[in-house]
Amino acid sequence: MQPTSTDPITILAIESSCDETSCAISRDGVILSNIIAGQAVHEQYGGVVPELASRAHLQHIVPVVDAALRQAGCKLPDLNAIAFTQSPGLIGSLLVGSQFAKSLALALNIPLIAVHHMQAHVLANLIPNSAAATPRPGAAAALPHPGASPTPSHSGGPALPSFPFLCLTVSGGHTQIVLCHSPLKMEVIGETLDDAAGEAFDKSAKLLGLPYPGGPLIDKYAHSGNPARFPLPEPQIPGLNFSFSGLKTAILYFLQDHTAKDPDFITANLADICASIQGRIVSILLNKLKKAVRQTGVKDLCIAGGVSANSGLRTAFRNMGVTEGWNTFIPPFEYCTDNAAMIAITGHYKYLNGDFAPLSVSASARQVW
Ligand code: KG4
Ligand code: ZN
């Protein structure tokens, strides 16, 4: 359906880049539904098995889309565009979502919007909590509408970040500091040279004998641990880039040394080990962010991506915001790990910009943005 200038813009968005099949419906940028189906099949293998992920997406996609439409109270003719994750991710997984999105756009004769997954993680910070909010480009800071209470997950300053803002995007495959000039104009000013922050969590968890994905488990055990108990090295990487592979090796040797002396070392000290690992990853991330603020002068700061669900990072980020005088913004948990709501909000801004993709567009495992 083609809207007139006053009609609401309703977008169906699909995310299938890794092991979550998700569909969201947005109306004028407000999320009406956000259904996420995880894939437990990978747990027994200690990591995501790409072929199994593609098959699970095939099984999940129709029921997930159906549930998202029903929860939003929407019918297919209400839709104005279909947005989907085009890149980056596992190619088989991306293909399921992109082929589904293309077929739906073709059948409904409505525009198709290709979304970059990492850009969408950043824009999760622009998802308004207010049902009456209507994001327009450049107007993010004005949201939510007058009278709405501030979003509890956002601390300090206005309820949504003002441009330009900095976003620390930390996921299973990426670690980036992004300078955002507008919803669709972003610049990566720092990134990891090797492992991502999520990999640092997951690989450390594996060394501790914890199941995949280990990040949330390290978070859980760290709650009752002492982060100062086992000092771990902070890599000295110039500029705004990160490196986590040295930390992983240091953790491996640290565990090997201690378990050689005491085979029960890990079980006896799990909380303190997890708190020490988490504390070091968080300090590496936030020290670079502080450097980025000094370099750019930008004072509106966001975090995004799966690792932004980490309670240690959320707390330390908020506290650093208070001591450094930043306005800090953190998406609600459901918009941190992979979800289609972030694809919908990105699709919304792209729709307003007339940024549509041809049906010949193809999914891509890697794509710079
Ligand atoms: O953004 P995401 O869902 O998927 C990617 O785009 O990669 O991020 C997944 C990553 C995994 O490495 C997972 O262990 C990590 O986010 N993660 C966490 C937490 N929740 C998810 N890491 C630490 N603490 C958490 N609470
Ligand atoms: Zn992601």
Side-chain angles (χ1 to χ4, degrees), residues 15 17-18 20 88 117-118 120-121 169-174 304-306 336-339 342:
E15 153 64 30
S17 63
C18 190
E20 266 100 16
H117 184 85
M118 297 314 294
H121 268 306
T169 316
V170 273
S171 71
H174 294 79
C336 290
T337 45
D338 287 349
N339 66 89
M342 66 187 196

Side-chain angles (χ1 to χ4, degrees), residues 72-107:
C74 262
K75 303 231 175 305
L76 289 175
D78 299 333
L79 301 176
N80 301 114
I82 309 293
F84 72 101
T85 305
Q86 185 210 354
S87 178
L90 300 172
I91 191 64
S93 294
L94 289 167
L95 279 170
V96 175
S98 63
Q99 288 307 114
F100 190 93
K102 286 201 261 183
S103 310
L104 201 52
L106 178 66

Side-chain angles (χ1 to χ4, degrees), residues 30-34 36 120-121 124-125 127-129 303-306 308 331-342:
V30 172
I31 304 303
L32 302 182
S33 63
N34 180 42
I36 304 169
H121 268 306
N125 281 283
I127 296 175
N129 254 19
I303 55 175
S308 67
F333 282 109
E334 65 270 29
Y335 302 148
C336 290
T337 45
D338 287 349
N339 66 89
M342 66 187 196

Side-chain angles (χ1 to χ4, degrees), residues 165 349 367:
F165 65 80
Y349 283 111
Q367 190 172 299

Side-chain angles (χ1 to χ4, degrees), residues 124-141:
N125 281 283
L126 296 191
I127 296 175
N129 254 19
S130 157
T134 307
R136 302 279 163 190

Side-chain angles (χ1 to χ4, degrees), residues 211-299:
Y212 180 88
L217 290 171
I218 293 200
D219 190 354
K220 180 178 146 193
Y221 293 118
H223 273 287
S224 53
N226 171 9
R229 170 95 187 278
F230 301 114
L232 292 164
E234 174 157 3
Q236 302 304 314
I237 308 297
L240 298 177
N241 289 333
F242 302 88
S243 168
F244 288 100
S245 65
L247 178 65
K248 181 189 63 191
T249 309
I251 294 168
L252 172 69
Y253 290 149
F254 158 77
L255 293 174
Q256 279 177 350
D257 282 354
H258 282 82
T259 45
K261 289 176 226 147
D262 171 11
D264 293 329
F265 174 73
I266 292 177
T267 24
N269 298 284
L270 190 59
D272 288 346
I273 299 171
C274 287
S276 302
I277 293 171
Q278 179 172 295
R280 177 48 79 212
I281 294 173
V282 167
S283 74
I284 292 171
L285 293 171
L286 292 185
N287 285 341
K288 284 288 175 171
L289 196 56
K290 215 196 278 188
K291 201 168 177 182
V293 172
R294 278 203 300 272
Q295 224 165 282
T296 59
V298 170
K299 287 291 175 85

